[in-house]
Amino acid sequence: MELRGERVVLRSVTDGDGEILDRIVREPEVAAWWSPPDDCAGMLAVVLEGEVIGAVQFEEEIDPEFRHAGIDVFLTARQHGKGLGTDTVRTLARWLVRERGHHRLTIDPAAANTAAIRCYRRVGFRPVGIMRAYWRNHRTGAWQDGLLMDLLAHELD
């Protein structure tokens, strides 16, 4: 699988990507929001000019009454603030809507992750509400609030 954004390419993770992604997710700026994944199954590598700079994953609810998809993403800290997260999320969102037929997408950043929230707003995601004590911080063990955001298909682009 390969999806092309304006600047990034999203492709299936290969055997050689695991070590790179593990190193990225352990960077302090990334580890503040992500715990190291057990494996990279279900992830797409985010590639910029031939270099893996992060990963994005999605999950799909296929029950016709509740059909939607959710997105999660992380990028190496040295690429933060360059619009690459926005390009990544927008590219995957377009595919989920246009090719997979989802009418609604969700994303659920930590409520304190203001940079991620700004990124998702640029794609068109809107806050739905705070999910109290939503995720456990793997470094501290403390429960943290999350922000549920969603995007309807007609709001994309």
Side-chain angles (χ1 to χ4, degrees):
M1 175 175 177
E2 184 175 289
L3 306 174
R4 294 196 168 272
E6 291 179 21
R7 297 175 56 203
V8 300
V9 173
L10 312 181
R11 64 154 171 80
S12 299
V13 170
T14 64
D15 290 339
D17 296 333
E19 185 178 315
I20 297 164
L21 294 175
D22 186 63
R23 189 169 49 248
I24 292 170
V25 82
R26 292 177 190 280
E27 295 173 3
E29 301 89 342
V30 179
W33 313 112
W34 273 80
S35 57
D38 295 332
D39 62 44
C40 296
M43 288 187 169
L44 300 173
V46 180
V47 181
L48 176 68
E49 299 172 354
E51 176 189 358
V52 174
I53 63 165
V56 63
Q57 62 188 12
F58 64 94
E59 61 183 12
E60 297 178 282
E61 171 57 62
I62 58 171
D63 180 327
E65 291 185 34
F66 299 97
R67 185 167 171 78
H68 72 280
I71 299 174
D72 286 307
V73 60
F74 67 86
L75 299 179
T76 182
R78 64 186 167 74
Q79 297 295 350
H80 289 181
K82 298 179 181 180
L84 300 172
T86 302
D87 189 20
T88 297
V89 172
R90 184 178 289 121
T91 299
L92 184 57
R94 285 176 175 159
W95 180 78
L96 288 166
V97 167
R98 295 174 183 167
E99 302 299 322
R100 301 292 296 161
H102 292 286
H103 78 286
R104 181 173 163 269
L105 305 176
T106 62
I107 202 158
D108 55 0
N113 191 344
T114 56
I117 293 166
R118 274 193 311 271
C119 167
Y120 307 148
R121 281 182 181 271
R122 283 192 291 270
V123 176
F125 282 87
R126 297 180 185 178
V128 174
I130 296 292
M131 298 179 291
R132 298 176 303 141
Y134 175 65
W135 65 281
R136 183 167 290 195
N137 185 312
H138 71 279
R139 296 170 306 142
T140 67
W143 287 100
Q144 305 288 310
D145 291 347
L147 175 65
L148 178 61
M149 303 177 79
D150 72 359
L151 171 70
L152 300 180
H154 72 273
E155 297 168 340
L156 184 59
D157 296 331

